[in-house]
Amino acid sequence: MGVDRRKAAVFGGAFALRLLLLVLFPSLPDLLTGRVEVSTPVTSFKRLQEGLFLYTRNVSPYDGGVFHQAPLLLPIFSLLPSSPGFSFPTVVLYSLIDLINANALITIAESGWAVSGRSYSAIRKHIRWDGVTIAAWFLFNPFTIATCLGRSTAVFTSIGILYALSSAVTGKTFNSMLALGFASYLSIYPALLYIPLILLCYDQRAQTAKTCPSTAVFALQHLAIFALSIAGLLGISALLIGDFRAFVSATYGFQLLVPDLTPNVGLWWYFFIEIFDSFREFFLGVFWLHLASYMGGLTIRLRRQPLFVLSALLGIFAVFKPYPSISDASLYFALLPLYRHLFPLMRYTFFAVSALLYATLLGPAFYHLWIYAGSGNANFFYAITLVWSLGLSILLADTIFAALRDEWEYDNPEVRGKDVKQV
């Protein structure tokens, strides 16, 4: 009963905080919507409004060349009041989505898969936070609140990913594939989570069921579910829009080819501004190959910890995807407290947190100096995004080291607590 009261207090407080900020600062949603740290060309609420304007007038939303998001978002937002300056309905919707995501995090935390699995159990598994604490960490994270008030459509991808994970750890593999298909339909990169997610589903099935098919058969069965879910969503989109080719080119083609080099917190935009056009296709392939390559290595090396692999990949996406935002970082930070038992093994937490705070505070200032004050140039803002990426990279590398160290101590109990020297 106490846990239920704590959960209600956390959820109610988070919801009230978002509404309070809206009431006290009515212009805050519009301010955050225009921030490059919150909105990108593929998640911007302003661009969604442009597509919605065309959609409600029976014009293809992709004709304007501004809207690059999934068309199934349009019927949802067409049901909400669209009066200029009236942000209350959309903020309420995004606040409810945050609560749904927090509930999924509670399910993941209480499953225990972050500390033990089918063939692995963390030595320090007693060092952990409960689900409500992890949900509070997510709900009161400033990045989560800014994403909610900025109304980035990245939250719909996040809800698909989190419910894919929560369904996997509870044995609902069919629902997990449907949720991952929904997330991959909205964005391309969640499809890279399929292999570690299917391993998580298989481990959960093998641990609880008396009989389980082979890994290959299990993977193919669920690959069919995953593919059919995406095909179904694409079919509905084709019926909704009509011009299927224009829809695919304006959404997935746009994300793959990265034609819009609007500044963001990522690493792609400045590089492709500076690169010669004749080398653009080559480096596009290199950047995408680099992003996808982490999936195989992490999955093979940390096969016994598929949930950690999924969490690490989300952190990698927050650094290396073409159009990242603080929403991607908030999703990674939401899963990080699941690994409280790894914190004692981490070595560079102070440097990582300091770099992230430094970039968070100075990023808006450097952007203002470049765009508005005219006393700086693009190097000002890109330098601070490099610091942001460096902080995330240090944190990622440190958590992966801690996971490997914990796994090594599990296999070799006699070396627990001893220093490791590289020869």
Side-chain angles (χ1 to χ4, degrees):
M1 192 63 165
V3 174
D4 292 338
R5 289 177 179 174
R6 285 182 61 221
K7 179 179 177 180
V10 168
F11 279 38
F15 188 80
L17 175 61
R18 286 155 171 77
L19 296 186
L20 181 63
L21 289 173
L22 178 62
V23 172
L24 294 178
F25 308 100
S27 61
L28 186 58
D30 290 334
L31 173 65
L32 291 174
T33 300
R35 296 298 309 178
V36 295
E37 301 90 348
V38 178
S39 299
T40 68
V42 294
T43 63
S44 171
F45 183 72
K46 286 185 176 180
R47 293 179 180 243
L48 176 65
Q49 288 178 307
E50 173 69 19
L52 189 60
F53 178 85
L54 298 175
Y55 171 75
T56 54
R57 285 155 179 80
N58 296 321
V59 179
S60 173
Y62 302 106
D63 283 351
V66 174
F67 180 65
H68 303 289
Q69 302 171 45
L72 289 186
L73 295 175
L74 298 173
I76 298 174
F77 282 90
S78 65
L79 301 175
L80 299 175
S82 57
S83 301
F86 185 56
S87 307
F88 184 80
T90 51
V91 171
V92 169
L93 173 63
Y94 277 80
S95 300
L96 292 175
I97 291 174
D98 279 351
L99 299 184
I100 294 172
N101 286 336
N103 190 65
L105 282 170
I106 292 176
T107 302
I108 297 169
E110 293 179 347
S111 70
W113 273 91
V115 294
S116 62
R118 184 166 68 101
S119 57
Y120 169 78
S121 181
I123 295 176
R124 301 167 181 81
K125 60 183 178 182
H126 60 282
I127 306 176
R128 56 185 297 189
W129 286 316
D130 65 343
V132 176
T133 302
I134 293 173
W137 173 270
F138 169 72
L139 289 172
F140 292 98
N141 185 338
F143 294 152
T144 306
I145 296 173
T147 301
C148 173
L149 295 178
R151 296 164 293 177
S152 168
T153 55
V155 299
F156 293 95
T157 303
S158 298
I159 197 173
I161 293 173
L162 288 176
Y163 262 84
L165 300 184
S166 65
S167 298
V169 298
T170 53
K172 301 173 183 176
T173 57
F174 181 81
N175 293 344
S176 180
M177 292 297 105
L178 291 180
L180 184 65
F182 174 73
S184 302
Y185 161 77
L186 295 176
S187 304
I188 294 178
Y189 73 92
L192 296 173
L193 302 176
Y194 169 76
I195 292 180
L197 183 64
I198 202 64
L199 292 176
L200 177 61
C201 291
Y202 183 82
D203 285 353
Q204 206 284 337
R205 176 73 64 84
Q207 183 171 302
T208 57
K210 295 181 179 180
T211 60
C212 189
S214 66
T215 308
V217 172
F218 186 86
L220 289 175
Q221 290 174 344
H222 288 76
L223 178 61
I225 299 171
F226 174 63
L228 288 174
S229 65
I230 297 178
L233 291 170
L234 291 176
I236 297 172
S237 300
L239 293 175
L240 185 67
I241 299 300
D243 192 346
F244 182 75
R245 180 175 297 181
F247 148 60
V248 172
S249 175
T251 52
Y252 308 121
F254 183 85
Q255 295 182 46
L256 285 172
L257 300 178
V258 198
D260 191 323
L261 299 179
T262 301
N264 53 61
V265 297
L267 303 172
W268 292 49
W269 65 274
Y270 188 85
F271 183 87
F272 284 100
I273 286 176
E274 298 294 330
I275 200 70
F276 290 109
D277 289 342
S278 56
F279 296 104
R280 179 179 173 84
E281 289 77 11
F282 171 76
F283 281 104
L284 271 175
V286 170
F287 272 52
W288 274 113
L289 183 62
H290 173 258
L291 177 63
S293 63
Y294 288 99
M295 181 268 295
L298 285 174
T299 303
I300 293 171
R301 180 59 186 86
L302 293 165
R303 165 64 184 90
R304 294 186 289 178
Q305 304 181 62
L307 184 59
F308 178 81
V309 173
L310 290 162
S311 303
L313 285 175
L314 291 174
I316 289 169
F317 295 157
V319 179
F320 295 115
K321 62 182 285 194
Y323 294 112
S325 67
I326 60 172
S327 173
D328 302 290
S330 70
L331 179 59
Y332 173 62
F333 292 154
L335 294 170
L336 200 57
L338 294 171
Y339 302 96
R340 173 66 181 86
H341 62 284
L342 298 180
F343 289 2
L345 299 174
M346 296 172 65
R347 303 168 295 174
Y348 306 116
T349 308
F350 173 77
F351 297 102
V353 173
S354 298
L356 291 172
L357 289 175
Y358 178 85
T360 301
L361 295 175
L362 289 185
F366 281 19
Y367 186 78
H368 178 82
L369 288 174
W370 171 31
I371 299 297
Y372 298 105
S375 57
N377 53 34
N379 294 322
F380 274 62
F381 185 66
Y382 188 62
I384 206 66
T385 61
L386 289 177
V387 175
W388 168 261
S389 299
L390 175 65
L392 281 176
S393 300
I394 293 174
L395 188 61
L396 268 166
D398 212 15
T399 54
I400 293 173
F401 164 82
L404 292 172
R405 173 71 196 224
D406 189 75
E407 193 175 284
W408 184 62
E409 291 185 357
Y410 172 79
D411 295 331
N412 305 276
E414 70 279 2
V415 299
R416 180 179 177 183
K418 296 183 179 179
D419 292 335
V420 179
K421 295 182 180 180
Q422 185 177 3
V423 179

